[in-house]
Amino acid sequence: ERSWLTVRTWGTHLQLWAAAPADDPRGWQLVREIRPDRFDSYNLTSWLPLDLDPAAPRTFLIRAQSAWHLILDLAVCSDAGAIRADQTRTLRLGLGAGVLLMMAVLNLALFLWVRDRTSLYFALFELSATAYLVNGSILPVVLPSHWIPGISAFVVGNLVVWSTAFARSFLLTARFLPWLDRFLRGYLVAALILVVLMPFLPGTALYGFSLALGWAAPLAAVLPGILLWRRFRPARLYLPAWGLFGTAALLQTVTGSRLELHTLDVFLVGAVLNAVLVSLAGVDRMRTLREERRRLREEMARAEEERREVERRMMRADRMAALGVVVAGVAHEINNPNNFIHFNLPILRKYLEAMTPSLEQAAAADSDLRLLGLSWPEFREDLDRLIDDMEHGTRRISAIVAAL
């Protein structure tokens, strides 16, 4: 089988030089050159043929020139090995992208069902992560190579925007930490401006802004989880979810070729773990908010019952006040004529006492004197008793009026 050198990159000027054998005076020879507008679209893999002889070791020199920083993923393999490696990698990317896309669809359906913007933000984040994973395989086929950096940076910017929006909505920062919510809102506005401008920026500025967003995004997503670890229970799952994704994002943007791993695979694992843990955190958040709503309903029910009890008491007090006004009026009207009787009875008694001597003389002169069919002694006794009874009655009326 023929041997190949595979280089995973795009938008890069590559040259492969081969050292001539020791007895060949020609020295270094340019074997293959790939310019930024010429590459294999299969997973952005450039194929450089190698003329290898196991009995004659050769030295090769690879020169790469690009407008932004690169970590070249190099491999020497046979035809079958190269195809098998790319198929395995494509399968991993396909499975990861499928998981992320499925989570995006589920969260979008959840948003349409419950109208919770948190689910919408996470669905958009998952779609951006899916686009980030597959853009290297799709964009080179349909777009010129010089467009790819700007569009890839645009996708990274969307990851930043939707992760920050999700953090604000999921952790309810406006409710728990207003100052942090204001900071995240300002960061979100700045990220949105950069996302809009990214496709139009030159290569150096584009790389710098992309790197800045890539480093700042994990901090913006993880910091709220750290601050709300104890105050909001779902943050206990949110923090490891975004911590893993932030670590993967940092590894994706870190410089240096000493990493013994493929950063895109690390990003894929981080994104999938993030989707799973955030889904669990979302379930816990829904449970927590449901419990809060239940407690609020119970408190509102108690407050409503207390309000009704206060209203009942106020109604009883109003009735008693109205009754008091009526009773006071009635008592006043009863007391007026009673006073006439009460104050006139002593005068009546004095009049009778003044008439008594004359009546006694008349009774002495006429032994048969009758007053209303009664003799004078009986009449006087009955008259005194009637006045005493009336005085007693007026005193009782006065006591009843005073009680009212």
Side-chain angles (χ1 to χ4, degrees), residues 16-21 27-29 31 50-52 56-62:
L16 177 64
W17 295 77
W28 290 94
Q29 299 177 1
V31 177
L50 298 178
D51 185 12
L52 296 181
R58 299 188 65 183
T59 301
F60 292 89
L61 171 66
I62 300 174

Side-chain angles (χ1 to χ4, degrees), residues 128-328:
S128 300
T130 305
Y132 181 81
L133 288 174
V134 303
N135 77 84
S137 299
I138 297 176
L139 294 184
V141 181
V142 297
L143 295 176
S145 61
H146 62 276
W147 286 17
I148 298 176
I151 295 177
S152 298
F154 179 79
V155 173
V156 172
N158 275 274
L159 285 172
V160 174
V161 168
W162 299 123
S163 63
T164 306
F166 174 78
R168 289 185 61 220
S169 180
F170 184 87
L171 295 176
L172 306 175
T173 54
R175 168 181 165 187
F176 292 108
L177 294 173
W179 66 268
L180 179 62
D181 185 73
R182 290 192 293 270
F183 168 76
L184 292 178
R185 187 166 59 243
Y187 174 77
L188 186 59
V189 171
L192 280 171
I193 294 174
L194 285 177
V195 167
V196 174
L197 295 178
M198 271 180 173
F200 309 102
L201 294 176
T204 305
L206 180 63
Y207 172 72
F209 284 129
S210 299
L211 192 63
L213 284 178
W215 280 88
L219 179 62
V222 173
L223 180 61
I226 297 175
L227 296 178
L228 294 174
W229 174 268
R230 296 184 180 275
R231 299 180 60 180
F232 191 45
R233 190 178 67 189
R236 300 172 187 175
L237 279 174
Y238 170 93
L239 184 58
W242 288 96
L244 289 172
F245 180 78
T247 302
L250 290 176
L251 289 175
Q252 178 71 12
T253 57
V254 74
T255 59
S257 59
R258 291 171 293 182
L259 294 174
E260 296 298 329
L261 45 84
H262 198 288
T263 54
L264 192 60
D265 291 341
V266 173
F267 181 86
L268 171 62
V269 173
V272 171
L273 290 178
N274 171 266
V276 174
L277 291 177
V278 167
S279 298
L280 296 176
V283 173
D284 188 37
R285 179 177 182 270
M286 293 179 62
R287 186 184 300 113
T288 301
L289 295 180
R290 190 181 300 116
E291 292 174 357
E292 289 184 359
R293 285 194 294 268
R294 178 179 56 80
R295 287 195 298 267
L296 287 176
R297 284 195 298 267
E298 292 175 354
E299 293 176 0
M300 290 177 62
R302 286 195 297 269
E304 180 67 17
E305 183 60 30
E306 293 176 358
R307 185 187 65 81
R308 291 178 180 176
E309 180 62 24
V310 170
E311 287 182 351
R312 285 193 292 267
R313 292 178 181 177
M314 292 178 63
M315 291 176 63
R316 286 197 296 268
D318 291 341
R319 293 194 190 101
M320 293 302 295
L323 181 61
V325 172
V326 172
V327 170

Side-chain angles (χ1 to χ4, degrees), residues 46-122:
S46 299
W47 299 76
L48 305 178
L50 298 178
D51 185 12
L52 296 181
D53 183 359
R58 299 188 65 183
T59 301
F60 292 89
L61 171 66
I62 300 174
R63 300 180 63 184
Q65 181 181 12
S66 176
W68 51 88
H69 178 78
L70 291 176
I71 301 176
L72 296 180
D73 185 10
L74 307 176
V76 178
C77 54
S78 62
D79 290 339
I83 294 175
R84 186 165 53 251
D86 268 353
Q87 287 177 342
T88 302
R89 180 172 177 273
T90 302
L91 178 62
R92 291 199 305 269
L93 290 179
L95 290 176
V99 171
L100 298 181
L101 187 60
M102 180 183 66
M103 298 302 299
V105 172
L106 290 177
N107 279 275
L108 185 59
L110 186 61
F111 164 72
L112 296 175
W113 181 31
V114 300
R115 297 297 177 181
D116 184 5
R117 288 184 298 177
T118 304
S119 301
L120 176 62
Y121 295 150
F122 192 66

Side-chain angles (χ1 to χ4, degrees), residues 3-25:
S3 297
W4 295 85
L5 173 67
T6 63
V7 184
R8 299 186 194 278
T9 183
W10 43 263
T12 304
H13 184 187
L14 289 174
Q15 289 182 338
L16 177 64
W17 295 77
D23 56 350
D24 192 337

Side-chain angles (χ1 to χ4, degrees), residues 309-348:
E309 180 62 24
V310 170
E311 287 182 351
R312 285 193 292 267
R313 292 178 181 177
M314 292 178 63
M315 291 176 63
R316 286 197 296 268
D318 291 341
R319 293 194 190 101
M320 293 302 295
L323 181 61
V325 172
V326 172
V327 170
V330 171
H332 177 72
E333 296 302 326
I334 292 174
N335 197 44
N336 283 338
N338 182 63
N339 286 335
F340 298 153
I341 299 172
H342 181 72
F343 288 114
N344 288 331
L345 283 176
I347 299 173
L348 179 62

